[in-house]
Amino acid sequence: MSEEMMEGEVVKKFMYINRRAPYGSIYALESLEVVLIGAAFDQDVSLAFVDDGVFELKKDQETAGIDMKNFSPTYRALEMYDVEKLYVSKESMDARGLTVDDLIVDVEVKTDAELADLFDDQDVIFSF
Amino acid sequence: MKFAVQVNEGPYQHQAADSAYQFTKAVLEKGHEVFRVFFYHDGVNNATKLTTPPQDDRNIVNRWSELSEKYSLDLVVCVAAAQRRGIVDEGEAKRNKKDAENIAPGFRISGLGQLIEAGVQADRLVVFGD
Amino acid sequence: MSILHTVNKSPFEKSSLDSCLKYAKGGSAVLLYEDGVYAALKGTNMEDKVKSAAQGIKFYVLGPDLKARGIADDRVIDGIAIVDYAGFVDLSVESDKVSAWV
């Protein structure tokens, strides 16, 4: 385990893997709520957006017509919570015809092979 | 070894709640510790005592309560997810001016921080969902 | 570091197994349970993919979920180990972490 003691607290590497599109189900929104609450715990947090999870970051979301809350701006606010490691699967974006220009927030694009290494390096994996 | 279990789906609709129960029971029977079972998303519906399945079907809610009783298992329901879905304990009923509560024995409602804490404290987090 | 990947979706309906296999590195383990057990069957159009992945990854399937679905052990691809819930727990202990492809 890559745990280290910092000020008496165990710091773990948390990876949130987001694989669902927004609005069709609540997973994307409620997983973001976990990330926001979790930010207060000072763990080493990363978010990965793979499969349909890349659609969470699509810019220009307009939800008035479906009477649901547009939570996509919150991804831009993550930086204020010191959640700065956002990774997006290149293959998942390619498969869905998306480029970084389509995204609402700055991310690091990684290949699936790079993401596999990253997942391996974590202590805890949250799946949404 | 210390486990944390996350349950993301309600009872009966998906097998996730059953699998989570069978896994948790197996963990305990093998002598490991379960730090906490955390119910999130529709998983909070595992905690309603108003569930009344047919006589010849398993009672998923009672099963959790009994497991909690036997092993002093900490069953935590996410408050934000519970409020959305109408899972209410006495405190929540008072706070939100509801005229009823429906939380089953052994469950308690608390914040998402309990899930993060479980991730920090446990050696393994195992997620069940759909 | 090794991961136990869990897959609970039929590969004929959802792409969870495909996703899992994109990220499962050599030396890791995959447990097929719930409707995921259908990926463990011989004679399906998934068999070649599973067998090829099984060269570097160890596959397990949950026996109670097989039985519930009327699948005899001899229908399971050779080399995929059948475990019960206690075995699921052991696999979680032996791996460094568990990743659920829900």
Side-chain angles (χ1 to χ4, degrees):
Chain A
M1 300 280 273
S2 58
E3 290 169 27
E4 43 186 312
M5 299 298 283
M6 282 179 62
E7 294 163 11
E9 293 289 323
V10 177
V11 173
K12 281 191 173 181
K13 289 185 180 173
F14 275 27
M15 170 62 77
Y16 297 91
I17 304 182
N18 299 282
R19 295 181 51 236
R20 317 249 197 179
Y23 310 118
S25 65
I26 199 170
Y27 300 106
L29 168 60
E30 286 190 332
S31 101
L32 189 55
E33 290 179 348
V34 177
V35 174
L36 292 173
I37 298 288
F41 283 72
D42 294 327
Q43 303 298 309
D44 181 356
V45 171
S46 304
L47 273 66
F49 297 85
V50 305
D51 296 333
D52 279 353
V54 298
F55 288 130
E56 293 177 25
L57 301 180
K58 176 73 180 64
K59 64 179 169 194
D60 299 331
Q61 294 178 28
E62 280 276 354
T63 56
I66 57 170
D67 194 23
M68 290 169 80
K69 187 170 135 192
N70 176 3
F71 57 94
S72 62
T74 311
Y75 294 106
R76 305 180 85 125
L78 286 174
E79 204 178 358
M80 293 188 305
Y81 292 83
D82 293 323
V83 176
E84 288 166 339
K85 297 181 196 167
L86 273 57
Y87 305 104
V88 172
S89 155
K90 180 179 187 309
E91 286 87 339
S92 296
M93 278 215 297
D94 288 349
R96 288 160 182 79
L98 296 179
T99 68
V100 285
D101 291 338
D102 288 305
L103 306 185
I104 194 169
V105 70
D106 285 339
V107 295
E108 197 173 326
V109 178
K110 291 212 176 269
T111 64
D112 284 339
E114 289 170 333
L115 284 173
D117 288 338
L118 200 58
F119 295 163
D120 239 22
D121 189 41
Q122 303 299 312
D123 294 313
V124 187
I125 297 177
F126 289 90
S127 321
F128 291 101
Chain B
M1 181 169 275
K2 212 187 287 182
F3 281 80
V5 175
Q6 183 183 338
V7 186
N8 288 344
E9 298 297 336
Y12 303 106
Q13 181 82 22
H14 299 284
Q15 200 185 340
D18 288 281
S19 297
Y21 170 79
Q22 299 295 351
F23 179 83
T24 303
K25 188 162 153 275
V27 168
L28 293 164
E29 283 171 354
K30 287 194 78 97
H32 298 295
E33 182 187 339
V34 175
F35 178 75
R36 179 169 294 148
V37 182
F38 191 85
F39 297 87
Y40 198 43
H41 302 305
D42 276 358
V44 299
N45 291 316
N46 281 273
T48 170
K49 67 181 179 190
L50 301 181
T51 301
T52 315
Q55 287 286 334
D56 60 351
D57 199 355
R58 74 244 188 257
N59 189 316
I60 293 180
V61 176
N62 288 356
R63 235 171 28 181
W64 284 119
S65 293
E66 285 155 18
L67 201 64
S68 169
E69 166 93 35
K70 184 169 176 190
Y71 292 98
S72 305
L73 186 58
D74 192 20
L75 304 177
V76 177
V77 178
C78 168
V79 62
Q83 284 173 339
R84 283 192 177 108
R85 294 162 179 88
I87 303 297
V88 182
D89 63 8
E90 224 169 272
E92 281 295 299
K94 213 169 272 172
R95 207 173 354 266
N96 299 304
K97 302 195 172 49
K98 305 289 180 189
D99 61 4
E101 53 90 18
N102 61 349
I103 193 112
F107 291 88
R108 63 188 181 93
I109 295 180
S110 189
L112 271 174
Q114 300 271 308
L115 172 61
I116 306 297
E117 188 198 14
V120 174
Q121 296 296 331
D123 301 304
R124 298 286 182 279
L125 170 72
V126 185
V127 180
F128 294 88
D130 195 81
Chain C
M1 304 289 274
S2 81
I3 302 183
L4 170 64
H5 301 271
T6 63
V7 176
N8 66 335
K9 301 295 193 315
S10 164
F12 308 109
E13 189 198 358
K14 301 257 175 71
S15 58
S16 308
L17 178 63
D18 283 330
S19 294
C20 166
L21 294 180
K22 279 189 292 185
Y23 300 107
K25 296 177 48 156
S28 63
V30 173
L31 172 70
L32 304 166
Y33 75 112
E34 297 179 3
D35 289 348
V37 300
Y38 294 119
L41 297 193
K42 283 182 200 162
T44 74
N45 61 11
M46 287 299 293
E47 183 177 3
D48 287 347
K49 181 169 217 166
V50 171
K51 276 184 170 167
S52 142
Q55 313 234 332
I57 299 163
K58 182 73 188 145
F59 276 77
Y60 300 86
V61 62
L62 196 69
D65 278 330
L66 280 176
K67 268 202 161 55
R69 288 160 177 79
I71 299 164
D73 292 359
D74 63 5
R75 298 287 288 271
V76 171
I77 295 170
D78 295 335
I80 298 185
I82 301 172
V83 297
D84 56 9
Y85 287 103
F88 185 174
V89 174
D90 291 340
L91 289 172
S92 314
V93 170
E94 290 157 14
S95 308
D96 296 313
K97 56 197 161 273
V98 183
S99 182
W101 296 89
V102 290

